[in-house]
Amino acid sequence: KGKKAEVTSPKKSQKAVVAAAVREAKEKLREAAKVKRENAAKRKEEAKAKKEAAAKKKKKAAEEKKKKAEKKKAEDKKKADKKKADKKKKEEEKKKAEKKKKEEKKKAEEKKKADKKKKEEEKKKAEKKKKEEKKKAEEKKKADKKKKEEEKKKAEKKKKEAAKKKSGKKN
């Protein structure tokens, strides 16, 4: 690569040949070192790329896992909410049914009371009527008795008068 040696003497030319050989050897070593460096850099790059790909894959997997977990959580929450809502609905229906039952029971009791009251009033009315009829019958009986007695008295009086007349005629 340097200046070409001028061949003047055999010694000089031998030196030049040696120098050229040395230069060539050095050049080869430099080339080899360069190739080695380049290969090392290449390997390093490949390792880095591999590492990055693995990291990316890991990150993606982690994100997928997270997404799945969040989806599951959301679904579980949805299920739990539905369960809760269903339970609430059932309890409300139960309450409604119990309220209805209570109201019906109350109505039935009120009807029973009203019927009982009505029956008692009718019984009282019937008893009152019976008493009045009994009273009337007794008054009629008394009046009839009185009438009979008066008629009896009248009849006796007549009898007596008739007897008096008879005896008056006799005497």
Side-chain angles (χ1 to χ4, degrees):
K1 270 187 176 177
K3 287 177 188 174
K4 264 192 175 177
E6 287 167 31
V7 185
T8 46
S9 70
K11 217 176 191 181
K12 261 190 177 176
S13 81
Q14 207 181 348
K15 260 187 181 176
V17 168
V18 169
V22 167
R23 265 201 312 276
E24 214 175 300
K26 276 185 179 174
E27 191 64 37
K28 269 187 180 169
L29 277 172
R30 265 199 300 273
E31 274 297 315
K34 192 183 171 191
V35 167
K36 203 176 177 186
R37 270 199 314 276
E38 281 174 357
N39 284 344
K42 218 184 204 179
R43 275 200 304 277
K44 203 176 174 186
E45 278 296 313
E46 281 174 359
K48 195 182 172 190
K50 225 179 186 181
K51 205 176 174 185
E52 279 176 2
K56 243 186 192 174
K57 204 177 175 186
K58 203 176 175 186
K59 197 182 173 190
K60 200 180 175 187
E63 279 176 0
E64 286 286 320
K65 203 177 174 186
K66 198 181 170 189
K67 263 188 193 172
K68 258 189 186 173
E70 280 174 0
K71 198 180 174 187
K72 195 180 182 289
K73 201 178 172 186
E75 280 175 3
D76 289 349
K77 193 182 180 287
K78 208 177 172 184
K79 274 184 193 171
D81 288 349
K82 194 183 180 290
K83 209 177 174 185
K84 216 177 178 182
D86 288 348
K87 198 181 174 189
K88 201 179 174 187
K89 200 180 171 189
K90 256 190 187 173
E91 279 176 3
E92 279 175 2
E93 282 173 359
K94 199 181 170 188
K95 272 185 190 172
K96 263 189 193 170
E98 280 175 5
K99 200 180 173 187
K100 202 180 172 188
K101 211 178 173 184
K102 264 189 189 173
E103 281 175 0
E104 282 174 358
K105 200 180 173 188
K106 202 179 169 188
K107 270 186 190 171
E109 279 176 6
E110 282 174 0
K111 194 182 179 287
K112 209 178 169 184
K113 268 187 192 172
D115 289 348
K116 199 180 173 188
K117 204 177 173 187
K118 203 179 170 188
K119 259 190 186 172
E120 280 177 4
E121 280 175 2
E122 282 173 358
K123 200 181 169 187
K124 273 184 189 171
K125 266 188 191 171
E127 280 176 5
K128 201 178 173 188
K129 203 180 175 188
K130 212 178 174 185
K131 265 188 188 172
E132 281 176 1
E133 281 174 357
K134 200 180 173 188
K135 204 178 169 188
K136 272 184 187 172
E138 278 177 7
E139 280 174 1
K140 195 177 181 284
K141 212 178 171 185
K142 268 188 192 173
D144 288 350
K145 201 181 175 186
K146 206 178 175 186
K147 207 177 171 188
K148 258 188 185 174
E149 279 177 5
E150 278 175 9
E151 279 174 1
K152 203 181 171 186
K153 273 183 188 174
K154 270 185 189 174
E156 278 178 9
K157 208 179 174 186
K158 262 187 181 177
K159 226 182 182 181
K160 271 184 186 175
E161 279 175 9
K164 234 186 190 180
K165 275 183 185 177
K166 247 188 184 177
S167 65
K169 275 183 182 175
K170 267 186 187 174
N171 289 333

